[in-house]
Amino acid sequence: MSRYLALVPAAGHGSRFGAPSPKQYLQLNGKPLMWHTLRALAAVAAIDTVAVVISPNDEWFDDFDWDLPKLQVLRVGGASRAESVRNGLDALDCAADDWVLVHDAARCCLSADAVERLLAEVGDDPVGGLLALPVPDTVKRADAERRVAVTVSRADLWLAQTPQMFRHGPLRQALQGAGLDAITDEASAIERSGGKPLLVEGDAQNFKVTYPRDLALARAVLAARKD
Ligand code: CTP
Ligand code: MG
């Protein structure tokens, strides 16, 4: 039986957010933002390990008592998200056919339900898959003057989210070699190797905290869930 492990890249600086500490450590309803992320993953029974990748120079992680089951800390973060994920995969102790669910630390409103749906729909798929949202709005392509060049059909367009789940061996293989900077999610690395990941419907609440304005929404979503 293959295991399921979660791998959470959390070695970014949050430059677009612009806070003194990286956004994953900001206080959100009494806990660091990333605590909510890690807790959602730990709440999924099938996942036996939640490994978080932090920077070797991280000054914040040890200040908090995370008090979460299944948590493993890997101080191997790299210069880009893809590099942090690749280093985390190298450091994980698991078999080549074990499933790894890579999830952004900054997507703190992940629900256990969405993860369960991903696990169920991907099943024993030979490639793997990811949570994603069908594009809800009308889509425009701009020209150089920021005028509408064309309206693009939204049929078949999806917005990629995380978790993205692939088997450890093929994902590690896909993240080797040059061109890592152009890789912004695991699925595109797998696509580059010829695989076609399965799209599983996520939900709008699983957004990534990127700008300060996103924090109020995350706060409200988490508070509503508690009630
Ligand atoms: N990440 C990482 N290592 C990096 C860069 C990013 O582990 N060198 C992680 C972030 O901590 C985050 C996730 O990848 O959980 C998604 O990245 P993003 O939202 O872009 O976070 P930051 O890179 O921190 O933010 P910004 O791009 O605004 O600097
Ligand atoms: Mg970034």
Side-chain angles (χ1 to χ4, degrees), residues 4 99-102 115 118-120 122-123 127-131 163-167 171 186 197:
Y4 295 94
W99 288 104
V100 181
L101 285 82
V102 181
V115 182
L118 177 69
L119 296 183
V122 169
V127 179
L130 62 148
L131 289 182
Q164 304 201 352
M165 63 180 281
F166 299 99
R167 294 194 189 264
L171 182 56
E186 290 60 55

Tab-separated table of all heavy atoms in Angstrom, residues 4 99-102 115 118-120 122-123 127-131 163-167 171 186 197:
chain	number	residue	atom	x	y	z
A	4	TYR	N	0.594	8.245	1.963
A	4	TYR	CA	0.340	9.629	1.546
A	4	TYR	C	1.101	10.553	2.488
A	4	TYR	O	0.942	10.464	3.711
A	4	TYR	CB	-1.152	9.973	1.629
A	4	TYR	CG	-2.023	9.194	0.671
A	4	TYR	CD1	-2.651	8.022	1.080
A	4	TYR	CD2	-2.217	9.634	-0.636
A	4	TYR	CE1	-3.450	7.300	0.206
A	4	TYR	CE2	-3.011	8.920	-1.519
A	4	TYR	CZ	-3.623	7.754	-1.097
A	4	TYR	OH	-4.408	7.043	-1.963
A	99	TRP	N	2.617	8.550	-2.443
A	99	TRP	CA	2.045	9.798	-2.953
A	99	TRP	C	2.524	10.984	-2.116
A	99	TRP	O	2.512	10.911	-0.884
A	99	TRP	CB	0.521	9.765	-2.864
A	99	TRP	CG	-0.150	8.857	-3.839
A	99	TRP	CD1	-0.704	7.638	-3.572
A	99	TRP	CD2	-0.385	9.103	-5.229
A	99	TRP	NE1	-1.250	7.115	-4.714
A	99	TRP	CE2	-1.084	7.986	-5.746
A	99	TRP	CE3	-0.077	10.155	-6.091
A	99	TRP	CZ2	-1.473	7.887	-7.082
A	99	TRP	CZ3	-0.458	10.058	-7.422
A	99	TRP	CH2	-1.154	8.941	-7.902
A	100	VAL	N	2.910	12.066	-2.777
A	100	VAL	CA	3.260	13.303	-2.073
A	100	VAL	C	2.262	14.380	-2.491
A	100	VAL	O	2.064	14.621	-3.684
A	100	VAL	CB	4.702	13.752	-2.395
A	100	VAL	CG1	5.036	15.029	-1.635
A	100	VAL	CG2	5.699	12.651	-2.043
A	101	LEU	N	1.601	14.991	-1.502
A	101	LEU	CA	0.668	16.093	-1.768
A	101	LEU	C	1.393	17.396	-1.457
A	101	LEU	O	1.650	17.711	-0.289
A	101	LEU	CB	-0.574	15.992	-0.889
A	101	LEU	CG	-1.615	14.922	-1.266
A	101	LEU	CD1	-1.197	13.562	-0.720
A	101	LEU	CD2	-2.980	15.293	-0.734
A	102	VAL	N	1.774	18.141	-2.494
A	102	VAL	CA	2.485	19.408	-2.289
A	102	VAL	C	1.440	20.506	-2.143
A	102	VAL	O	0.538	20.635	-2.987
A	102	VAL	CB	3.428	19.708	-3.463
A	102	VAL	CG1	4.178	21.019	-3.212
A	102	VAL	CG2	4.404	18.556	-3.681
A	115	VAL	N	-9.306	17.983	0.294
A	115	VAL	CA	-8.199	17.019	0.203
A	115	VAL	C	-8.757	15.609	0.003
A	115	VAL	O	-8.262	14.840	-0.833
A	115	VAL	CB	-7.305	17.066	1.459
A	115	VAL	CG1	-6.133	16.100	1.311
A	115	VAL	CG2	-6.800	18.477	1.704
A	118	LEU	N	-9.754	15.131	-3.544
A	118	LEU	CA	-8.571	14.926	-4.393
A	118	LEU	C	-8.094	13.477	-4.293
A	118	LEU	O	-7.841	12.818	-5.310
A	118	LEU	CB	-7.469	15.901	-3.969
A	118	LEU	CG	-6.134	15.782	-4.710
A	118	LEU	CD1	-6.285	16.227	-6.170
A	118	LEU	CD2	-5.053	16.615	-4.025
A	119	LEU	N	-7.977	12.973	-3.061
A	119	LEU	CA	-7.496	11.598	-2.865
A	119	LEU	C	-8.430	10.605	-3.547
A	119	LEU	O	-7.985	9.661	-4.206
A	119	LEU	CB	-7.403	11.257	-1.364
A	119	LEU	CG	-6.401	12.050	-0.535
A	119	LEU	CD1	-6.379	11.538	0.900
A	119	LEU	CD2	-5.006	11.964	-1.137
A	120	ALA	N	-9.743	10.831	-3.395
A	120	ALA	CA	-10.726	9.890	-3.946
A	120	ALA	C	-10.699	9.910	-5.473
A	120	ALA	O	-10.729	8.865	-6.120
A	120	ALA	CB	-12.123	10.239	-3.433
A	122	VAL	N	-8.302	11.044	-7.589
A	122	VAL	CA	-7.032	10.615	-8.197
A	122	VAL	C	-6.869	9.104	-8.005
A	122	VAL	O	-6.388	8.415	-8.912
A	122	VAL	CB	-5.842	11.406	-7.613
A	122	VAL	CG1	-4.511	10.786	-8.035
A	122	VAL	CG2	-5.900	12.858	-8.070
A	123	GLY	N	-7.286	8.589	-6.854
A	123	GLY	CA	-7.251	7.138	-6.637
A	123	GLY	C	-5.879	6.565	-6.939
A	123	GLY	O	-4.882	7.044	-6.401
A	127	VAL	N	-0.831	8.959	-13.323
A	127	VAL	CA	-0.079	10.228	-13.372
A	127	VAL	C	-0.188	10.995	-12.056
A	127	VAL	O	0.821	11.386	-11.456
A	127	VAL	CB	-0.593	11.126	-14.530
A	127	VAL	CG1	0.182	12.447	-14.554
A	127	VAL	CG2	-0.469	10.408	-15.859
A	128	GLY	N	-1.418	11.231	-11.570
A	128	GLY	CA	-1.645	12.065	-10.396
A	128	GLY	C	-2.542	13.221	-10.776
A	128	GLY	O	-3.073	13.266	-11.899
A	129	GLY	N	-2.739	14.162	-9.859
A	129	GLY	CA	-3.655	15.257	-10.164
A	129	GLY	C	-3.542	16.405	-9.183
A	129	GLY	O	-2.701	16.409	-8.283
A	130	LEU	N	-4.429	17.381	-9.391
A	130	LEU	CA	-4.364	18.616	-8.600
A	130	LEU	C	-5.759	19.194	-8.413
A	130	LEU	O	-6.644	18.966	-9.236
A	130	LEU	CB	-3.492	19.659	-9.314
A	130	LEU	CG	-3.978	20.124	-10.695
A	130	LEU	CD1	-3.575	21.579	-10.935
A	130	LEU	CD2	-3.397	19.249	-11.799
A	131	LEU	N	-5.934	19.950	-7.346
A	131	LEU	CA	-7.153	20.737	-7.196
A	131	LEU	C	-7.058	21.945	-8.120
A	131	LEU	O	-5.987	22.547	-8.277
A	131	LEU	CB	-7.316	21.225	-5.755
A	131	LEU	CG	-7.672	20.183	-4.690
A	131	LEU	CD1	-7.841	20.873	-3.336
A	131	LEU	CD2	-8.930	19.403	-5.051
A	163	PRO	N	-3.615	21.247	-2.892
A	163	PRO	CA	-2.537	20.296	-3.149
A	163	PRO	C	-2.503	19.772	-4.585
A	163	PRO	O	-3.521	19.709	-5.253
A	163	PRO	CB	-2.840	19.133	-2.190
A	163	PRO	CG	-3.798	19.643	-1.190
A	163	PRO	CD	-4.530	20.759	-1.836
A	164	GLN	N	-1.268	19.414	-4.984
A	164	GLN	CA	-1.035	18.716	-6.230
A	164	GLN	C	-0.352	17.420	-5.844
A	164	GLN	O	0.663	17.445	-5.130
A	164	GLN	CB	-0.145	19.560	-7.139
A	164	GLN	CG	-0.740	20.960	-7.386
A	164	GLN	CD	-0.200	21.632	-8.626
A	164	GLN	OE1	0.735	21.155	-9.276
A	164	GLN	NE2	-0.803	22.768	-8.985
A	165	MET	N	-0.926	16.286	-6.248
A	165	MET	CA	-0.399	15.003	-5.754
A	165	MET	C	0.163	14.140	-6.872
A	165	MET	O	-0.481	13.902	-7.880
A	165	MET	CB	-1.453	14.239	-4.940
A	165	MET	CG	-2.694	13.819	-5.669
A	165	MET	SD	-3.863	12.929	-4.579
A	165	MET	CE	-3.127	11.282	-4.537
A	166	PHE	N	1.392	13.732	-6.647
A	166	PHE	CA	2.105	12.869	-7.597
A	166	PHE	C	2.923	11.875	-6.799
A	166	PHE	O	3.167	12.075	-5.611
A	166	PHE	CB	3.012	13.724	-8.505
A	166	PHE	CG	2.229	14.717	-9.319
A	166	PHE	CD1	2.129	16.051	-8.926
A	166	PHE	CD2	1.530	14.310	-10.450
A	166	PHE	CE1	1.361	16.954	-9.646
A	166	PHE	CE2	0.756	15.213	-11.178
A	166	PHE	CZ	0.676	16.536	-10.782
A	167	ARG	N	3.334	10.800	-7.468
A	167	ARG	CA	4.170	9.825	-6.761
A	167	ARG	C	5.574	10.400	-6.602
A	167	ARG	O	6.055	11.139	-7.462
A	167	ARG	CB	4.160	8.504	-7.512
A	167	ARG	CG	2.763	7.868	-7.506
A	167	ARG	CD	2.799	6.430	-7.934
A	167	ARG	NE	1.465	5.904	-8.131
A	167	ARG	CZ	0.770	5.202	-7.216
A	167	ARG	NH1	1.299	4.962	-6.030
A	167	ARG	NH2	-0.438	4.749	-7.490
A	171	LEU	N	7.804	12.608	-9.496
A	171	LEU	CA	7.831	14.054	-9.243
A	171	LEU	C	9.266	14.520	-9.017
A	171	LEU	O	9.695	15.553	-9.549
A	171	LEU	CB	6.947	14.411	-8.032
A	171	LEU	CG	6.865	15.904	-7.714
A	171	LEU	CD1	6.392	16.717	-8.921
A	171	LEU	CD2	5.960	16.168	-6.511
A	186	GLU	N	3.782	21.862	-9.445
A	186	GLU	CA	4.286	20.521	-9.690
A	186	GLU	C	3.723	19.965	-10.992
A	186	GLU	O	4.396	19.259	-11.734
A	186	GLU	CB	3.905	19.584	-8.530
A	186	GLU	CG	4.637	19.870	-7.242
A	186	GLU	CD	4.394	21.278	-6.720
A	186	GLU	OE1	3.223	21.664	-6.536
A	186	GLU	OE2	5.377	21.995	-6.513
A	197	PRO	N	-1.732	15.484	-15.883
A	197	PRO	CA	-2.360	15.394	-14.551
A	197	PRO	C	-3.882	15.576	-14.621
A	197	PRO	O	-4.396	16.325	-15.460
A	197	PRO	CB	-1.717	16.549	-13.781
A	197	PRO	CG	-0.453	16.852	-14.515
A	197	PRO	CD	-0.742	16.568	-15.951
